[in-house]
Amino acid sequence: MSARGSAAREVLQTLLVALILALAIRAFVVESFLVDGVSMEPTLHDGERLLVDKLSYRWHPPRRFDIVVFRYPQDPSRDFIKRVIALPGETVEIQEGKVYVDGRLLDEPYLESRGQDFYPPTTVPPGHVFVLGDNRPHSDDSRSGWTVPIREIIGRAVLVYWPPAEAGWIP
């Protein structure tokens, strides 16, 4: 084989390995996600691009206040992003916009406006989490009567990378 053919073969092998690695990373480690809508403002904004950590929940369950990307229970072809508020077995209720979990008021410093919502005491089923958007008046979330099966969580939002002016770690 000529030197030129050998070099071309090496380039093809390198590209193939790079493609396989990229696909494996996307499938199992980290994935990009586009924020679509205003339900997570002021924390996240419409049009921002995020990196979603897909590994963490292989070692531990979601934690309260994690911002997660999941398959929307009402239409699994769509992905949603919300904040975990209550965990399996916990009872959540909302009184005059204030969220209580197991009778304790949650401190939610990330909210700009609470609204005046009411939600009756509801126990989160095993294997599920209760999620809310940070922009409560403009969020389709667990107040609509659904919870998120943990198995349908794609991952935890960790980093805004676009636009560059908004880039940074997600609190």
Side-chain angles (χ1 to χ4, degrees):
M1 182 177 279
S2 71
R4 182 179 237 167
S6 178
R9 191 171 110 195
E10 277 190 48
V11 167
L12 283 173
Q13 286 176 336
T14 300
L15 290 174
L16 181 61
V17 168
L19 177 64
I20 290 169
L21 284 173
L23 291 173
I25 288 169
R26 184 176 186 272
F28 301 108
V29 179
V30 69
E31 186 171 340
S32 178
F33 178 78
L34 174 66
V35 176
D36 183 18
V38 299
S39 72
M40 286 301 294
E41 289 184 355
T43 308
L44 301 172
H45 303 279
D46 185 44
E48 287 181 334
R49 291 202 167 271
L50 318 172
L51 289 182
V52 176
D53 163 21
K54 297 172 83 171
L55 278 179
S56 291
Y57 298 144
R58 294 181 191 271
W59 290 289
H60 66 79
R63 297 176 177 139
R64 186 177 341 281
F65 304 123
D66 284 356
I67 296 176
V68 296
V69 173
F70 57 92
R71 288 176 193 81
Y72 179 45
Q74 306 301 85
D75 180 359
S77 70
R78 297 173 59 199
D79 295 338
F80 268 30
I81 185 165
K82 305 289 180 206
R83 188 179 297 270
V84 174
I85 297 298
L87 304 170
E90 293 181 331
T91 299
V92 61
E93 73 178 294
I94 303 172
Q95 298 175 13
E96 295 181 9
K98 295 177 182 168
V99 178
Y100 295 83
V101 175
D102 290 340
R104 294 190 188 120
L105 176 64
L106 285 189
D107 179 26
E108 298 184 282
Y110 45 82
L111 294 181
E112 283 186 353
S113 171
R114 289 186 181 278
Q116 292 299 312
D117 288 345
F118 285 89
Y119 186 80
T122 303
T123 301
V124 180
H128 289 68
V129 293
F130 186 96
V131 297
L132 294 174
D134 289 358
N135 187 359
R136 305 275 160 83
H138 303 283
S139 180
D140 179 8
D141 50 37
S142 291
R143 293 171 298 170
S144 297
W146 49 264
T147 55
V148 178
I150 292 173
R151 72 179 178 280
E152 296 299 327
I153 294 176
I154 295 165
R156 181 175 58 93
V158 293
L159 178 77
V160 173
Y161 69 88
W162 193 264
E166 300 297 321
W169 296 105
I170 297 170

